Amino acid sequence: MTEWNQILRERVYSPEEPDEHVVQFAGLLLEKRAVNVLDLDCGAGRHAIYFAKRGFEAYGVDFSETGLKMARKRLGKEKLNAFLVRCDMKMLPFVGSCFDAVTCTRAIYHQKTADIQEVLHEIGRILRKNGLLLADFLSKRTYSYGKGLEVEESTFVEQDGVERGILHHFTDEKELKELFKDFMIINLELRERVVENKLRSRWIVTAMVQMNSKSGN
C-alpha cells in the first residue's frame, strides 16, 4: 500500500479529467435513469467527482488513505458531495443489491486472477438486478506484457519505474469471457494507442448483472 500512496502523489497518476469511456458510460446511466454509482478503487476521486457533477449519488472506495484525502480535498474545492470509504475492494462494506452501477478503471488488474474473481463476485453482490459495470483490463498486446517477475500465468510484478513492486495481470478476450461468466457482457472493446513508440492496449468491458442471487441479504 505504501507504493500506491507514493504513486498517487504523482500528478500523472491522479488526473482530474475523466476517462472517455467513463463519460460514455455516464451517458448510458442517464438513459437508464440510474441513481447511484460506486467508483471502485477511486484513487484521487476524479470519476466519483465526475458522477457527482452529473447529478448521480456518488460513492468511492479505495484502500489508499492518500488517495481518499486527495479526493475529499477535490470534492470540497468543487463544493460537491460523495460518500468515500477506505476498504479492500474484495470486501465492500455495502449490503447486497444496493447499487445501480459500478465503475472500476485502471485498478482491477493490479492483482492475481483469483483476487480479480473475488472482486467481480463482490461487484455482482452489490449491484441490483440489471445493474451495470464498467471495467478495464490490460491487454496482452500492450508493450509491457511479459516484462517483470512472473508470479502466475500472465501476471507480472514491475521491477523498475514508478510502479516497481506493483502487480499487473494481462488478459485476452477468452479469459475475459470466462471472468464475466456470471454477467452479461454488453460491450467488449479493445482500445489502443501508441505513446512514445509504445503500444498501450486495454480492454473496456461493459457488463450487466441479470439476476442477483449472491447478496445474502
Side-chain angles (χ1 to χ4, degrees):
M1 186 46 56
T2 301
E3 292 92 342
W4 281 116
N5 286 332
Q6 294 172 345
I7 286 170
L8 282 165
R9 295 187 183 100
E10 298 289 333
R11 184 168 179 81
V12 68
Y13 286 88
S14 55
E16 297 188 21
E17 293 301 314
D19 284 339
E20 180 184 0
H21 50 281
V22 173
V23 173
Q24 294 170 345
F25 187 63
L28 174 62
L29 297 184
L30 288 170
E31 291 177 10
K32 299 288 186 180
R33 297 184 179 180
V35 174
N36 59 9
V37 185
L38 170 65
D39 187 24
L40 196 56
D41 254 30
C42 64
R46 60 179 174 142
H47 291 141
I49 290 168
Y50 176 73
F51 285 120
K53 283 182 178 179
R54 296 296 301 270
F56 296 98
E57 184 180 307
Y59 294 74
V61 300
D62 203 286
F63 202 68
S64 168
E65 188 56 45
T66 297
L68 293 174
K69 285 180 180 178
M70 294 173 70
R72 292 187 186 104
K73 184 176 180 180
R74 288 179 176 181
L75 283 163
K77 182 179 178 181
E78 297 277 355
K79 297 182 179 180
L80 294 168
N81 293 314
F83 179 78
L84 303 178
V85 62
R86 183 175 183 267
C87 70
D88 187 321
M89 65 164 66
K90 298 189 293 297
M91 296 182 290
L92 300 174
F94 304 106
V95 298
S97 305
C98 65
F99 283 102
D100 295 319
V102 172
T103 58
C104 187
T105 60
R106 303 175 190 268
I108 196 170
Y109 50 77
H110 288 302
Q111 51 196 340
K112 294 181 179 179
T113 307
D115 295 318
I116 293 172
Q117 291 170 333
E118 282 191 52
V119 173
L120 289 173
H121 185 275
E122 270 291 86
I123 292 171
R125 181 185 69 81
I126 63 171
L127 277 173
R128 296 188 176 101
K129 181 180 178 181
N130 297 327
L132 295 172
L133 165 64
L134 175 73
D136 59 9
F137 294 79
L138 290 176
S139 160
K140 290 182 179 180
R141 284 173 48 83
T142 203
Y143 78 95
S144 55
Y145 175 65
K147 296 181 179 180
L149 175 65
E150 186 170 18
V151 295
E152 66 174 23
E153 185 178 355
S154 301
T155 307
F156 304 85
V157 178
E158 287 276 355
Q159 299 295 288
D160 302 296
V162 177
E163 294 190 6
R164 181 179 180 182
I166 302 296
L167 281 171
H168 293 75
H169 180 76
F170 300 80
T171 56
D172 54 24
E173 185 172 356
K174 180 181 179 181
E175 183 187 19
L176 283 173
K177 288 181 177 179
E178 176 61 26
L179 286 171
F180 280 84
K181 63 184 179 182
D182 293 329
F183 294 77
M184 181 178 76
I185 295 178
I186 297 172
N187 189 56
L188 179 59
E189 180 183 353
L190 186 64
R191 293 195 180 184
E192 298 183 327
R193 60 194 179 103
V194 176
V195 179
E196 297 179 350
N197 294 319
K198 295 178 180 179
L199 178 66
R200 299 177 184 268
S201 177
R202 67 180 58 232
W203 294 99
I204 311 298
V205 184
T206 306
M208 175 187 291
V209 170
Q210 292 183 287
M211 183 173 67
N212 194 320
S213 60
K214 311 171 187 135
S215 65
N217 293 283

